[in-house]
Amino acid sequence: MSIQEEIRQLAKAKNAVIMAHYYCENEVQDVADVIGDSLALAQKAAQTDADIIVMCGVHFMAETAAILCPNKKVLIPDATAGCSLADSCSAQELAQFKQQHPQTLVISYVNTSADVKALSDVVVTSSNALKIVHQMPQDAELLFGPDANLGAYINKQTHRQMMLWHGGCHVHGRFSAQQLMAIKAQYPQAPVLAHPECGKDILDLSDVIGSTQALLSYVQQHPEIPAFVIATEPGVIHKMQQAHPKAQLIAVPYVDENGMVRCNQCEYMRQNTLVKLRDCLRNEAPQVTVDADVAQKALVPIQRMLSLS
Ligand code: 13P
Ligand code: SF4
C-alpha cells in the first residue's frame, strides 16, 4: 500500500478530516480533503462533522481549529511548525500595550497565538482584513498587529491611521525587489501577484495584492493570460498550475546572506511531510489543545471575524 493510501485509509477509519494550507508540499496538498487559506481553513474547521481534524499547516492554524472545535481532537503532523509572524507578538507585550492604551481596539491577524487572540477585539486574515477594518467605527483608535506590512497596506487602502505592531513574516519580508524587477523586465506582460505580507517595495511593483486564495482565484479567472509572477510562498503554485495548466508561473526568489538566489519557501509549512501526517493519524498525536479559559476568550474575536467576513 502506498503511504497516500495508508493516510486515506486511516482518515476514513478514524473519521478524520485532513486540512492543508496552500504552502504545504504538493504531495501533502494532494492527500488532503480541504485545501485553503487561513480563513477557509478556519471556516471549514468550524463546520466539519469529523471527529478528528488534522491541520497540515502551522501551529496557530491548529490552535484556531481547536478553539473553534473544543470537542474535537485537533492534530498537527509536527507540533514544532511555528510561524515567525506569530512569534513577533507575545501576549505579554500586547497586554502591556493594552494597559498603556486602554481605549484602543486591537485587530489581530490570525497569525497569532491563542493567548494574543484572547487579548484582541477582532481577528482578521489577509482575505477579510480590508472588509473588517472598513467596518470598524470611524472614531475608534485602532491597533493592527502583528504584521506591519499588511497593516500599512490596509491603512493605505482604507485611509485609516491604525497604529501598527512592528512584526513581520521572515518569508514575505525577504523577497528581492531587484530580482522582481529583473523578472518584470524579462516578462513585461506578466502580472505580478503578491501577498500583502510582502514589503512595500514588492507591493509597489505588484498588479494584484491578496490572500493566497485571492491570488489563486485570479489565476483561475484569467485563462487568457499566459504568464504570472508570484510573490508569495511558492507552494500555492501547485493549485495555480492545476487551475491554469498552460500558465507559466514564475516564483520571485530571495537572495540569502551569501548572495545566493533562493526559492522562498516557508520552512515551517514544509515541516508537514507525508510520513509525519501518516504517523500523526496512526498515533493520534501530536494533539494541539488550548487552555479552556484562553480558548473561551479567543473564541470571541474569532467568531466576530467569521460573522463580519
Ligand atoms: P493566507 O491567509 O493568505 O492563507 O496567509 C497565511 C500565511 O501564513 C501567509 O504567510
Ligand atoms: Fe508564518 Fe510567514 Fe510561514 Fe506564513 S509564510 S506561516 S506568515 S512564517
Side-chain angles (χ1 to χ4, degrees):
M1 201 191 324
S2 71
I3 188 160
Q4 284 89 349
E5 285 165 341
E6 216 181 325
I7 289 168
R8 291 306 329 160
Q9 230 177 55
L10 280 162
K12 193 170 176 202
K14 297 186 179 221
N15 190 26
V17 61
I18 301 173
M19 302 194 171
H21 188 270
Y22 290 121
Y23 295 165
C24 286
E25 297 288 348
N26 298 354
E27 58 196 21
V28 171
Q29 294 188 40
D30 289 343
V31 86
D33 299 289
V34 177
I35 310 165
D37 66 358
S38 308
L39 177 63
L41 295 177
Q43 286 168 328
K44 294 281 162 61
Q47 291 158 5
T48 187
D49 52 12
D51 296 315
I52 296 177
I53 298 171
V54 188
M55 186 59 77
C56 302
V58 291
H59 196 265
F60 77 81
M61 294 176 176
E63 266 190 347
T64 307
I67 293 164
L68 284 163
C69 313
N71 301 320
K72 295 193 192 298
K73 196 178 252 187
V74 178
L75 307 175
I76 187 165
D78 187 330
T80 69
C83 168
S84 55
L85 178 51
D87 288 347
S88 62
C89 179
S90 72
Q92 204 183 359
E93 282 177 293
L94 183 57
Q96 230 166 38
F97 173 92
K98 282 177 56 121
Q99 244 174 16
Q100 289 156 5
H101 303 83
Q103 308 300 334
T104 306
L105 291 182
V106 177
I107 305 173
S108 285
Y109 195 32
V110 70
N111 296 45
T112 43
S113 67
D115 291 319
V116 166
K117 288 185 178 79
L119 294 171
S120 306
D121 293 292
V122 64
V123 168
V124 299
T125 75
S126 53
S127 277
N128 57 26
L130 204 56
K131 191 172 175 186
I132 291 177
V133 171
H134 269 306
Q135 296 175 67
M136 292 293 116
Q138 269 310 319
D139 54 351
E141 187 173 74
L142 307 174
L143 169 75
F144 187 96
D147 192 76
N149 288 336
L150 175 60
Y153 171 71
I154 303 285
N155 268 346
K156 190 174 155 202
Q157 297 298 309
T158 57
H159 306 290
R160 303 270 322 215
Q161 283 169 337
M162 301 185 293
M163 283 184 270
L164 305 179
W165 199 262
H166 43 80
C169 156
H170 74 294
V171 176
H172 288 87
R174 71 185 171 190
F175 277 113
S176 162
Q178 213 179 347
Q179 292 289 324
L180 174 54
M181 282 189 288
I183 294 170
K184 278 171 75 85
Q186 208 182 338
Y187 301 92
Q189 307 299 333
V192 178
L193 279 48
H195 196 281
E197 286 172 23
C198 292
K200 186 175 180 304
D201 54 349
I202 298 294
L203 298 182
D204 285 348
L205 293 166
S206 301
D207 302 290
V208 180
I209 297 169
S211 70
T212 45
Q213 180 58 58
L215 302 183
L216 168 60
S217 299
Y218 186 84
V219 171
Q220 216 156 17
Q221 287 156 13
H222 290 86
E224 77 288 1
I225 300 181
F228 302 82
V229 181
I230 310 301
T232 189
E233 217 276 1
V236 71
I237 288 177
H238 183 49
K239 284 285 148 201
M240 287 176 171
Q241 199 71 77
Q242 285 177 355
H244 188 340
K246 289 192 182 141
Q248 190 175 5
L249 297 156
I250 306 135
V252 181
Y254 76 101
V255 179
D256 74 9
E257 57 283 7
N258 301 314
M260 299 290 286
V261 176
R262 294 197 179 280
C263 176
N264 202 359
Q265 292 186 339
C266 172
E267 61 271 43
Y268 304 120
M269 285 286 184
R270 307 291 171 144
Q271 283 178 240
N272 292 282
T273 62
L274 282 183
V275 172
K276 287 185 209 167
L277 170 55
R278 191 262 327 266
D279 292 349
C280 127
L281 266 166
R282 232 189 225 165
N283 306 327
E284 298 189 22
Q287 184 177 356
V288 174
T289 56
V290 179
D291 169 82
D293 183 47
V294 173
Q296 203 186 8
K297 290 186 180 128
L299 184 61
V300 177
I302 296 174
Q303 276 180 334
R304 202 166 282 149
M305 166 185 82
L306 294 176
S307 64
L308 291 175
S309 62

